[in-house]
Amino acid sequence: MSSRFPENFLWGASSSAFQIEGGWDAGGKGKTVADFNSFKRSDKQADSKVASDFYHHWKEDIALMKELGMKIYRFSLSWARIIPDGDGEVNQAGIDFYNNVINELIASGIQPFVTLYHFDLPYALVEKYNGWECRDCACAFERYARVCFQTFGDRVKYWQVHNEQNLMIRVNERMNIYEDDLWKADKMRAQMDYHMFLAHALAVNACHELVEGGKVGPAVSSTCTYPLTNKPEDVWAAKMNDWFKTNYCLEMHTDGEYPGYYMRYLRERNIVPRMEPGDKAILKSAKIDYIALNYYRTLCASYLPATPEHPVGERVFRGNEVDFDQYGYCRDEKNQNLQASEYGAQIDPMGLRIVLNEYYRRYHLPLLITENGLGMADTLTEDGKVHDPYRIDYVRSHIQACADAIEDGVELMGYSPWSVMDLLSSHQGFRKRYGFIYVDRDDFDLKDLKRIPKDSYYWYQRVIATNGEDL
Ligand code: BG6
């Protein structure tokens, strides 16, 4: 029986620098916003100081990736390891580290799939510019991107610019927004978002200029929101949720300008960012080669009528993060038709098929999945193994959805789930694990950091070896 996946399908697995590397200040690396936030929680959970200690285990870890059969490894470079203060001297020790990793991957038959920025802005740029609020930060990013393309571009052909700009921008601590006045915070956010789009476009153009045969694109946090009922207002609310959380970002990347509904929001809220003459030409000239998406779950929404306490356009807050903001249009609902994970994610493989079809039909670009997975508290049992049938079920059903989407006509380049090994989860440290490889440590006891392939590792190894036939 021939496979439902193309022959050159990019099977892989993913990670990010601050969640996996450790060695947070080794070899001259500078502090990042991700370190800053993770150190604030050091008494409650593991932080980025050691993480999975990939910094010291990279050889052994890549050997396990090879044994798994991975065709690509999607990981991020730490900007502050390469340029510790963000826009100053290039740090040779950082370059050497990534050269070693990249060379070892290639020697192992694994193509590096490199993200430039995964939540870890050099902290020095916050001190200097308030990070992305200042246009200089976009220039610093372009320079960093050029250093990476020039240094690694002879071997790295797949590049990702920002990981989940569309999600990051709504999470205050990831952007280092500490502003109590909601309007001022939103104004700052809109400016930061714009500068990140500009930086993205500059990096896309630089990649095409400097990397022969280079392919570059964004990785978005995808959303698929179902209306709670078939009331037109609920349907509208669900659409608005997807448009405001994800599609505006994709439209900016593909069309080089904000879509009308987003401009309307920016104008009504009086937070239109400063743009310079010439920006439009940059944004429009940057042509992405693919869209990568991270997919974990679907959402459900109902219409939220405006009231004097809650006017349209003003965000709904939960806690002090705007991660759950609804832009004044809709309210999060529970989908009674879906099972939720222990951590509240509504598990929905069919949603993945929907998203893949929707993005492909709308943007007409090849797609790639760079994150998808199930976070659970795995247990190392007395037999020295980790039995994780729940993860196998999750990944299997999502791979099946990929196969269905391919048969629907979607051009899917590859599938790279989260995560290659256990790593630092944003709010649950090592209590919540996603990896195919267990890392023997817990939040406060580093133990021996031993690597132990889980049952899902051996299952995924078979999936890759049979090009997705043996699920
Ligand atoms: C994605 C991020 O949004 O979700 C990853 O790109 C993150 O960095 C992943 O780890 C899972 O989220 P969490 O909060 O469970 O770690």
Side-chain angles (χ1 to χ4, degrees), residues 186 190 244 258 261-273 275:
D186 276 353
F244 274 94
Y258 287 115
Y261 58 86
Y262 205 79
M263 263 325 274
R264 177 183 172 183
Y265 157 70
L266 293 171
R267 279 204 201 96
E268 285 178 359
R269 185 95 171 111
N270 192 21
I271 54 170
V272 177
M275 305 175 187

Side-chain angles (χ1 to χ4, degrees), residues 19 118-119 163-164 167 294 296 371 418 425-428 432 434:
Q19 293 175 281
H118 192 124
F119 305 160
N163 176 67
E164 298 186 347
L167 177 72
N294 299 344
Y296 290 90
E371 289 185 31
W418 190 259
S425 169
S426 3
H427 288 91
Q428 286 88 13
K432 187 201 220 177
Y434 287 86

